[in-house]
Amino acid sequence: MRHTIGFYGAGNMAQVMIAGLLNSGFYQKEEIYVYNYRYEPTLKKVKEAYGVKVVSEEETLFEQTDWIILAVKPAVLLQVLPRVKKYLTEEHVLVSVAAGVSTHQIAALTGPHKIIRAMPNTPATIQQAMSSISPNELVSSEQTQFVTEIFNSFGKAKVVSEENIDAVVGVSGSAPAYVYLFIEALADGAVAEGLPREDAYEFASQAVLGAAEMVEKTGKHPGELKDMVTSPKGTTVAAVQSLEESNFRASIMRAVKAAAKRNHEMSEET
Ligand SMILES: NC(=O)c1ccc[n+]([C@@H]2O[C@H](COP(=O)([O-])OP(=O)(O)OC[C@H]3O[C@@H](n4cnc5c(N)ncnc54)[C@H](OP(=O)(O)O)[C@@H]3O)[C@@H](O)[C@H]2O)c1
């Protein structure tokens, strides 16, 4: 059976997902409904940009669609759920992208429903997201497969147990920021050696992109790929030694753990 998809919220994340669903051809514009609570111009913009159906009543969204993507900020989600609970039926599947709100917290406000927690990251904007998918016990394997396809439409998605979501935030949710720092630092180093700034960013970002694709496409262990480019007495081993002396790997591990810890704290605060 073909499902209709409803977006509760029309902000950045909702629009990225709508674009992914339409651009990949996985969904047609007439199968997507969008509701936005406060701000009418946002809805108008979404209708014009994507041609999807927009609704101005919450109730209509729940009547017209069986898969609801909850794309509002965590605090808003906690306010909204008690209000929309009355519109939920057994057919509905709730997919929340709100950071730090667990499927248990959602179920505590809605009652027992099929709930999926998903954690995309910002490269979703260019359809290169890495998303985790964590279904609760009421979600079937077909429904898990279906939601994975939704998130695959704007990148890659993988099912993980919800208890690992803090680690996912550390390794992919927050990771684009660490990679931007790395690219900036690579470029600064090259600028210090005389390369023009614009060239430096281009060389640095393409080096990161190419290396990431090597890991993806060759399937080789990152250590093996490092060994392959590290010749005796060469330039690369000199740089690797310098990084090791500054605890590069330990710093990254600490950063991942810090993001995971903060995500855990945030889920306790909501
Ligand atoms: N952006 C990302 O890359 C990313 C990545 C992972 C997870 N997320 C999660 O995605 C969710 C949405 O983030 P976003 O970046 O898309 O946020 P956003 O651009 O600020 O959009 C939030 C949406 O919520 C609506 N809203 C605000 N207050 C509301 C209320 N009181 N009742 C109902 N709707 C309300 C906004 O409507 P108005 O237009 O009327 O203000 C807007 O449509 C968040 O929970 C975030 O944790 C985002």
Side-chain angles (χ1 to χ4, degrees):
M1 181 194 135
R2 189 71 176 166
H3 302 288
T4 43
I5 297 187
F7 284 86
Y8 191 103
N12 294 321
M13 201 59 228
Q15 292 191 39
V16 158
M17 292 184 69
I18 292 167
L21 287 167
L22 296 177
N23 292 342
S24 65
F26 187 45
Y27 260 72
Q28 304 302 314
K29 52 187 192 294
E30 53 280 354
E31 297 170 301
I32 298 176
Y33 290 71
V34 183
Y35 167 82
N36 201 35
Y37 174 65
R38 291 186 307 181
Y39 195 50
E40 202 61 34
T42 310
L43 265 191
K44 203 167 159 250
K45 202 181 114 203
V46 167
K47 187 173 174 51
E48 278 168 15
Y50 305 104
V52 292
K53 295 191 169 156
V54 298
V55 296
S56 48
E57 300 293 332
E58 277 174 345
E59 192 173 357
T60 316
L61 186 82
F62 288 88
E63 272 170 14
Q64 296 296 328
T65 61
D66 45 3
W67 280 66
I68 306 282
I69 315 288
L70 299 162
V72 291
K73 299 284 185 201
V76 172
L77 181 63
L78 298 176
Q79 287 167 20
V80 159
L81 290 172
R83 192 172 67 228
V84 301
K85 178 183 171 179
K86 56 182 176 291
Y87 305 129
L88 291 174
T89 68
E90 267 192 18
E91 306 307 315
H92 283 116
V93 181
L94 299 175
V95 182
S96 166
V97 293
V101 184
S102 70
T103 56
H104 285 295
Q105 282 171 293
I106 295 173
L109 296 170
T110 60
H113 277 283
K114 300 176 192 89
I115 302 165
I116 297 164
R117 185 172 173 193
M119 180 50 59
N121 64 1
T122 52
T125 318
I126 53 157
Q127 276 146 52
Q128 290 290 344
M130 184 69 222
S131 308
S132 67
I133 306 286
S134 304
N136 76 355
E137 63 289 351
L138 299 177
V139 176
S140 70
S141 54
E142 289 78 17
Q143 288 162 334
T144 302
Q145 176 61 31
F146 181 73
V147 75
T148 306
E149 284 179 43
I150 292 179
F151 281 79
N152 273 336
S153 76
F154 54 94
K156 276 178 78 173
K158 209 171 169 72
V159 177
V160 302
S161 136
E162 194 172 355
E163 66 192 8
N164 282 329
I165 206 131
D166 297 331
V168 166
V169 168
V171 75
S172 77
S174 299
Y178 337 145
V179 178
Y180 302 142
L181 282 181
F182 180 62
I183 291 173
E184 196 182 11
L186 274 182
D188 279 345
V191 169
E193 287 295 313
L195 200 64
R197 170 71 57 189
E198 261 185 37
D199 289 351
Y201 282 127
E202 197 176 336
F203 277 88
S205 57
Q206 181 58 32
V208 170
L209 193 64
E213 290 229 354
M214 283 291 282
V215 176
E216 277 274 306
K217 296 202 167 140
T218 64
K220 289 190 195 302
H221 187 283
E224 188 183 347
L225 290 168
K226 184 266 293 170
D227 286 355
M228 284 162 57
V229 292
T230 312
S231 48
K233 290 191 168 185
T235 56
T236 309
V237 77
V240 167
Q241 181 174 351
S242 167
L243 287 171
E244 293 292 5
E245 283 166 5
S246 1
N247 282 328
F248 179 68
R249 284 192 290 179
S251 300
I252 305 290
M253 286 174 70
R254 270 200 304 274
V256 172
K257 287 170 74 94
K261 179 168 175 273
R262 182 66 197 126
N263 193 61
H264 189 71
E265 286 165 3
M266 281 165 65
S267 62
E268 289 181 338
E269 286 163 14
T270 49

